[in-house]
Amino acid sequence: MKKNIAILATNGFEESELASPKAYLEEQGWNADIVSLKSGTIKSWKDGNWSKEYNVDVVLDQANEADYDALVLPGGVINPDLLRREETAVNFVRSFFESKKPVAAICHGPQILVDADVLEGRKVTSFFSVKNDLKNAGAQWEDSEVVVDNGLVTSRNPNDLPAFNKKMVEEIKEGIHERQRV
């Protein structure tokens, strides 16, 4: 069955953490829309420098969680920090948890989950520098390649992308997770 996946990102996302999951989702025969704050393109970050631009498929103000089966949150230092400042982005993320849909976040991507207030009691991982932020939001952080908790998939960094992509697709194939919660 064809799935529609939202990838929420803005300028400063870690290139591999968007490109790799997007390609992997599309290999499944699924649609993966880049959803962002504004139309046009967003610029990636790679090896400490600005890199390629990616086309935005859907502007966040026009995006609706009901149109998607899951959400992917790439990292990068700049990307999640800019997104978490925007109430529409935080609400969009939270809506996936309210609808019990799979959410996959890698590296610094889980930072927006703090603002969405969805981490209490959840098992997660992330880039090590944000672990205290996640713990302070009530998460149980562990240093693992990939952590899955009732539809929430998290990984630490680009090295974990193969495991992240595999688990993300498994959770999406499972569909609604009744134990996914806000």
Side-chain angles (χ1 to χ4, degrees), residues 73 80 84 90 93-94 97 105 108-120 124 126 130-139:
L73 300 167
R84 69 195 300 197
V90 173
V93 170
R94 187 177 177 82
F97 286 86
H108 288 76
Q111 284 183 305
I112 196 168
L113 303 178
V114 172
D115 294 83
D117 197 23
V118 295
L119 290 173
E120 185 68 41
V124 298
S126 66
V130 297
K131 76 177 178 183
N132 287 337
D133 296 336
L134 303 180
K135 286 173 150 182
N136 289 338

Side-chain angles (χ1 to χ4, degrees), residues 88-109:
T88 53
V90 173
N91 290 338
F92 186 68
V93 170
R94 187 177 177 82
S95 69
F96 282 85
F97 286 86
E98 290 168 344
S99 296
K100 304 182 181 301
K101 294 179 180 177
V103 175
I106 187 167
C107 200
H108 288 76

